[in-house]
Amino acid sequence: MSEKLIRLKKLLGEVSDLGRAASVLSWDQQVNMPSMGAEARGQQLATLGKTAQEKFTSDEVGKLIEDIKQEFNGSDPNSDNAAMIRVAARNYDKSRRVPPEFVAEKAIVSSKAFEAWVEAKGKSDFSIFKPHLERMVELAQKYVSFFPPADHPYDTLLDDYEPGMKAEDVKTIFNALRPAQVELIKAISSSKQVKDDFLHKKYNESKLWDFGVSIITKYGYDWDRGRQDIAPHPFETTFSVNDVRITTRFEADNPLVILFSTMHESGHAMYEQGIDPKYERTPLSGGTSLALHESQSRMWENLVGRSLPFWEHFFPALKKTFPSQLEGVSLKSFYKAINKVEPSLIRVNADEATYNLHIMLRLELEIAMIEGKVAIKDLPELWNAKMKEYLGVTPSNDAEGILQDIHWADGYIGYFTTYALGNLVSAQLWERINQDIRDLDDQIRKGKFDALLGWLREKIHQHGHKYDPQDLVQRVTGSKITPEPYVRYLTKKYGEIYGL
Amino acid sequence: MSEKLIRLKKLLGEVSDLGRAASVLSWDQQVNMPSMGAEARGQQLATLGKTAQEKFTSDEVGKLIEDIKQEFNGSDPNSDNAAMIRVAARNYDKSRRVPPEFVAEKAIVSSKAFEAWVEAKGKSDFSIFKPHLERMVELAQKYVSFFPPADHPYDTLLDDYEPGMKAEDVKTIFNALRPAQVELIKAISSSKQVKDDFLHKKYNESKLWDFGVSIITKYGYDWDRGRQDIAPHPFETTFSVNDVRITTRFEADNPLVILFSTMHESGHAMYEQGIDPKYERTPLSGGTSLALHESQSRMWENLVGRSLPFWEHFFPALKKTFPSQLEGVSLKSFYKAINKVEPSLIRVNADEATYNLHIMLRLELEIAMIEGKVAIKDLPELWNAKMKEYLGVTPSNDAEGILQDIHWADGYIGYFTTYALGNLVSAQLWERINQDIRDLDDQIRKGKFDALLGWLREKIHQHGHKYDPQDLVQRVTGSKITPEPYVRYLTKKYGEIYGL
């Protein structure tokens, strides 16, 4: 390795350390911190962000990247080092465009916005959050202004989460997807609804927690390299390949949700735990994109965790744990109940058939916000109108409407789209996996997940950020991200459940 | 405020942020982190330490300090800004002498040493910890070598914790103290021993936790600006004046210790919570020295928490909580039991009459280590010999001997001394407080601590790091740190308990 590459890796390692220190502070803020601590924490995160950016965007790093690019000219573009330089160069260019003061300001604003969002959601009062969201949108617009004009300003935001993906690509995919999902929902709504009252009985929180733990332990989540805590909004966060944590939450009126939330976050976490340790402290650590990440969480939550074979294995234990709640409930009834399709208000609790419509709504709102075509004060009303239009339901308050998600409070505008793309990728991978592991259903029926996890480790996880998302999906499935496998999956699954 | 002062405060604020971010990472390491995460965490802490030091020791900071010193020439040396510059200049000089690579190396070594210490203590096997301690001592010697020769190399280490204090000062104080303590212990050992079997029954951990919480809530520990968790070694840590956390631990064979550990750490925490917020993110934040800090924790643990008036208030509630364990136990018997004097093995559980002897032992070992006069492999034997000599007891294994404390694993050599000094200061302040608050005992008897906390806030806490320890003690009590009040306190208290 050349002197220059060694020096660059040292500097990038320090940048990575500062970023991961910030992740620890953010995790703590959501899991442990007394609320009075928010202001100082925001300041600390601002300084960490600014310091990391200063380190990364130094002239020295830029010069090293350029020099090493020259050195690598003509060598294998798929080598780890070439990939690292490619990703580092892209990140460097992006970061040089964004002034350190902007990064620091955004950290402070989003820390306060987070606290305001918690309060606003608690009181179901959008007016508490409104000024913070206005600042967030202003900051997003300012961010876009640092970059050369794209086809659409939203492209610049999306590119941070899905490198290479554009608003137009997403619209094309969504336009193909929407009619299929709407048609399916219509067909379901004219069928006999499934019964799920037993899911809404009183369940003991700590027993459910333990059951969730037992599931993801079988999945292969490595507890020696992670832990689970309670937080207002479930998330996964990575402090190193050997410290990948998840959070979950209990909802008294929808108690089993905690199981699926735990499975979901474990999917993210197993991705991070499976990345080749050689990428630690380099720009290749971490998953390749949010959609790829979401494909993993969705797979373990839905394609595995809401499948019949899965519950053939776990239902007897669940029934033993909750004998009175599940008295007289058959496996088949339980399976149908957890897959009940019903247009509803809360995205994270939405079923697979309606979920993507929640995303389409958010995409439209985000695009309108970024274009400045909507006043923030009008958002709750617009939200509610679109919910009515797409899903036929209307939030009765802001907490179950526009305040339900943390993302905008955290400054993530352009992020939601990746959830829907993740669903699509999960099904696309699933078709491939079932060609490679012919008896996968049987394995799941036995509570065995090692072949599945092994496949994901080999094909997806280990590569970290080495490939861009569309390239990786192409390499593994033979085509770029496409909605058809997901439509096939939904149609088959719900066709059987609702007898369509 | 001059442009230069504004600029300096901004830079020092960022240095403070990085230091406090490191504190969050350390807290997490001890409270939450899966053990596999240690290596990356060490790396992250190393980078934070190095980055903070680079920022602090920049030529710009040095120039600003010098220029502002000139500006301040002739102005009030007791103004906040003058004090800040004085402390900043001293810290700057120290930091410039220590190369960033050394700081980073020490962070990595101590992170690994911490993990080794946990394992070594668990297995009661010093050999696991030995190579790490060797490295730690080498690093301490190397650290000393960066400074101009002092009267004794130990002075350089001690000065970081007790600015201005020297090994010789401490020896003088200890030499005056030792005979008095030894005489007292002798007198006690020839008296009738108190009965304390009821302290070692089985107590419910969670009820004790709650009882400890109720005590420090009455003390005035502010839960909106803090929290308590379980950790292997109890400690207090500050992330901001609005986020001051403590940890505690439960020992099944000595269950009530958790109460005193909680009171102890709350004393540290109330100090930090009471510092004037105007000092946040400046070198004047934090307590003035370790001895002053320890004077606060010891006061709330011992002078308050092991006093008769205190238990006149709390004993009925404790008895109600643990009726079977405390059946037939009178207040007087309980008071005597929790103050039982008995030479024992574990420093943190030592009674007030023997505690300082544990410190004297450590001081001698540390001085020998720093002088290179003892091989690390011989330390357990030396430890055990000195325990026999000073306290008449011999550890049966390393876990209850040399491995009992975390400090050396964390790289804190020169730190222990401050515990004994803290005891002395606590009694010195206590005499003064009882002159100012004549009915203090009556207030404590009623469970009222606001006047006491108010006094401490006004005289000690609010000032943060503005005064050096000896100055502050002098301002408040009229003399520098002196052992006499502590000897008077011990003699009176144990004279009554043991009828001497």
Side-chain angles (χ1 to χ4, degrees), chain A residues 29 33 35-44 111-112 115, chain B residues 242:
Chain A
Q29 177 163 27
M33 196 186 72
S35 67
M36 292 278 286
E39 193 178 338
R41 183 58 52 88
Q43 188 68 62
Q44 290 151 7
S111 181
K112 287 183 187 161
E115 294 302 319
Chain B
N242 290 323

Side-chain angles (χ1 to χ4, degrees), chain A residues 396-410:
Chain A
S396 63
N397 60 52
D398 293 341
E400 59 183 34
I402 192 164
L403 288 173
Q404 66 183 267
D405 293 309
I406 193 179
H407 302 63
W408 294 340
D410 263 356

Side-chain angles (χ1 to χ4, degrees), chain A residues 486-500:
Chain A
Y486 193 63
V487 172
R488 279 195 288 273
Y489 162 72
L490 285 185
T491 310
K492 179 165 183 291
K493 177 171 182 175
Y494 292 99
E496 286 168 10
I497 291 175
Y498 281 93
L500 307 178

Side-chain angles (χ1 to χ4, degrees), chain A residues 178-188:
Chain A
R178 194 182 297 108
Q181 291 212 225
V182 168
E183 192 188 342
L184 178 66
I185 294 172
K186 266 197 193 145
I188 290 172

